[in-house]
Amino acid sequence: MSNHYHHLVFGPSSLARQRAKGSYTAYGAQTERGDDGPDELDGREKVIIRAADQFYLSTVTETGWPYVQYRSGPAGFLQVLDDHTLAFADFAGNNQYVTVGNLDARDRVALIVVDYPRRQRVKIYGRATVVEGSADPALLERLRQVPGGTVESRCERSVVISVEAIDWNCTRSIVPRYDQDYVSRLGALYERDAAAREKVLLDRIAELEARLD
């Protein structure tokens, strides 16, 4: 397992608390060997990212404060460009430009992507670059294309993220939530299964009736 995440997030104070509370062996001990370097996205991470219709994005303000945004869109709007790169089209917002302004000054970001029905979540650390639509219209157009069609919202720029570190969170505290599409797909599976069971029963009844005749 890569230890790059541990080197990024476990500072001296965190390590001291881990030693005091007995969790250092499970976590902080990973920092005792050299940093493995940036992580790459594997198949499991690509699946949850490509299915996501929402995620949380954190940047750092120029005053040193964390700034967290909730981002949502059609499933697949957060795209995997390759094993080390994510990107999304930046939809027009309220014109405060806090996130992109933060990125103009500091490129560090953190994302949390959650699959609520399956109670899974992954944290992704990276460095983000803002690419204005006028500078690379082809990239922006590519990012507007999602599995369900073309993003209809007005998109002003692309945000490209070079992945640094990945960590899967514990699922214990995730409250499952189910959207209409997920429930509809489950209902369709149930109806298909019920129809198959009904056919088996009807065939059996017909067989027994034929014997009686």
Side-chain angles (χ1 to χ4, degrees):
M1 180 179 67
S2 169
N3 69 352
H4 190 49
Y5 167 82
H6 305 82
H7 277 277
L8 287 188
V9 303
F10 295 157
S13 297
S14 295
L15 295 175
R17 280 187 173 266
Q18 290 174 18
R19 289 189 178 94
K21 297 298 182 179
S23 62
Y24 177 80
T25 300
Y27 300 109
Q30 299 291 335
T31 63
E32 293 179 6
R33 71 176 197 272
D35 192 333
D36 293 334
D39 293 332
E40 66 176 38
L41 300 162
D42 65 17
R44 182 186 178 202
E45 287 135 15
K46 291 176 183 178
V47 167
I48 192 173
I49 291 168
R50 287 169 173 156
D53 59 5
Q54 57 187 309
F55 65 92
Y56 300 90
L57 174 67
S58 176
T59 55
V60 183
T61 69
E62 291 178 90
T63 55
W65 289 90
Y67 181 77
V68 181
Q69 268 198 331
Y70 170 78
R71 294 290 182 121
S72 64
F77 80 106
L78 178 59
Q79 299 189 25
V80 178
L81 299 188
D82 57 44
D83 291 348
H84 301 274
T85 314
L86 303 176
F88 62 91
D90 188 32
F91 305 158
N94 56 14
N95 295 329
Q96 291 187 18
Y97 300 112
V98 179
T99 293
V100 293
N102 290 342
L103 294 177
D104 287 339
R106 299 178 179 177
D107 62 357
R108 295 179 180 182
V109 296
L111 291 76
I112 293 182
V113 182
V114 186
D115 181 335
Y116 287 100
R118 297 176 180 82
R119 299 181 66 194
Q120 298 177 338
R121 62 181 171 185
V122 63
K123 289 185 294 189
I124 302 170
Y125 288 78
R127 295 182 180 275
T129 301
V130 176
V131 182
E132 295 298 330
S134 57
D136 194 339
L139 173 62
L140 183 57
E141 183 60 25
R142 173 183 176 181
L143 296 177
R144 291 181 65 235
Q145 306 307 311
V146 295
T150 301
V151 172
E152 295 182 358
S153 300
R154 183 166 62 89
C155 303
E156 300 178 321
R157 61 190 62 82
S158 307
V159 178
V160 181
I161 301 169
S162 296
V163 174
E164 278 282 335
I166 301 165
D167 181 59
W168 284 87
N169 279 129
C170 172
T171 65
R172 180 177 56 191
S173 60
I174 300 175
V175 178
R177 291 184 173 87
Y178 306 95
D179 60 24
Q180 183 175 355
D181 179 64
Y182 185 85
V183 172
S184 296
R185 285 187 280 116
L186 287 183
L189 291 173
Y190 174 80
E191 291 175 0
R192 187 178 67 186
D193 183 62
R197 291 175 180 271
E198 181 182 20
K199 183 178 184 306
V200 170
L201 290 174
L202 291 175
D203 289 346
R204 180 58 174 163
I205 291 171
E207 178 186 343
L208 294 174
E209 289 178 340
R211 291 182 182 179
L212 291 174
D213 292 341

